[in-house]
Coordinates of all heavy atoms in Angstrom, one line a residue:
T177 N 178.1 237.2 25.5 CA 178.6 237.3 26.8 C 180.1 237.1 26.8 O 180.6 236.4 25.9 CB 177.9 236.3 27.8 OG1 178.3 235.0 27.4 CG2 176.4 236.5 27.8
E178 N 180.8 237.6 27.8 CA 182.2 237.3 27.8 C 182.5 235.9 28.0 O 183.5 235.3 27.5 CB 182.9 238.2 28.9 CG 184.4 238.2 28.9 CD 185.0 239.2 29.8 OE1 184.2 240.1 30.3 OE2 186.2 239.2 30.1
A179 N 181.7 235.2 28.7 CA 181.9 233.7 29.0 C 181.8 233.0 27.6 O 182.5 232.0 27.4 CB 180.8 233.2 29.9
A180 N 180.8 233.4 26.8 CA 180.7 232.8 25.4 C 181.9 233.0 24.6 O 182.4 232.1 23.9 CB 179.4 233.3 24.7
V181 N 182.5 234.2 24.7 CA 183.7 234.5 23.9 C 184.9 233.6 24.4 O 185.6 233.0 23.6 CB 184.1 236.0 24.0 CG1 185.5 236.2 23.4 CG2 183.1 236.8 23.4
V182 N 185.0 233.5 25.7 CA 186.1 232.6 26.2 C 185.9 231.2 25.8 O 186.8 230.5 25.4 CB 186.1 232.7 27.8 CG1 187.0 231.6 28.4 CG2 186.4 234.1 28.3
K183 N 184.6 230.7 25.7 CA 184.4 229.3 25.3 C 184.7 229.2 23.8 O 185.4 228.2 23.4 CB 182.9 229.0 25.5 CG 182.5 227.6 25.1 CD 181.0 227.3 25.4 CE 180.6 225.9 25.0 NZ 179.2 225.6 25.2
H184 N 184.3 230.1 23.0 CA 184.7 230.1 21.6 C 186.2 230.1 21.4 O 186.8 229.3 20.6 CB 184.0 231.2 20.8 CG 182.6 231.1 20.6 ND1 182.0 229.9 20.1 CD2 181.5 232.0 20.7 CE1 180.7 230.1 20.0 NE2 180.4 231.3 20.3
A185 N 186.9 231.0 22.1 CA 188.3 231.1 21.9 C 189.0 229.9 22.3 O 190.0 229.4 21.7 CB 188.8 232.3 22.7
S186 N 188.6 229.3 23.4 CA 189.2 228.0 23.9 C 189.0 226.9 22.9 O 189.9 226.1 22.6 CB 188.6 227.6 25.2 OG 188.8 228.5 26.2
S187 N 187.8 226.9 22.2 CA 187.6 225.9 21.2 C 188.5 226.1 20.0 O 189.0 225.2 19.4 CB 186.1 225.9 20.8 OG 185.9 225.0 19.8
V188 N 188.7 227.4 19.6 CA 189.6 227.7 18.5 C 191.0 227.3 18.8 O 191.6 226.6 17.9 CB 189.6 229.3 18.2 CG1 190.7 229.7 17.3 CG2 188.2 229.7 17.7
F189 N 191.5 227.6 19.9 CA 192.9 227.2 20.3 C 193.0 225.7 20.2 O 194.0 225.1 19.8 CB 193.2 227.7 21.6 CG 193.5 229.2 21.6 CD1 192.8 230.0 22.5 CD2 194.4 229.8 20.8 CE1 193.1 231.4 22.5 CE2 194.7 231.1 20.8 CZ 194.0 231.9 21.6
A190 N 192.0 225.0 20.8 CA 192.1 223.5 20.8 C 192.1 222.9 19.4 O 192.8 222.0 19.0 CB 190.9 223.0 21.6

Side-chain angles (χ1 to χ4, degrees):
T177 65
E178 192 168 344
V181 171
V182 171
K183 182 178 179 180
H184 284 314
S186 297
S187 179
V188 167
F189 287 124

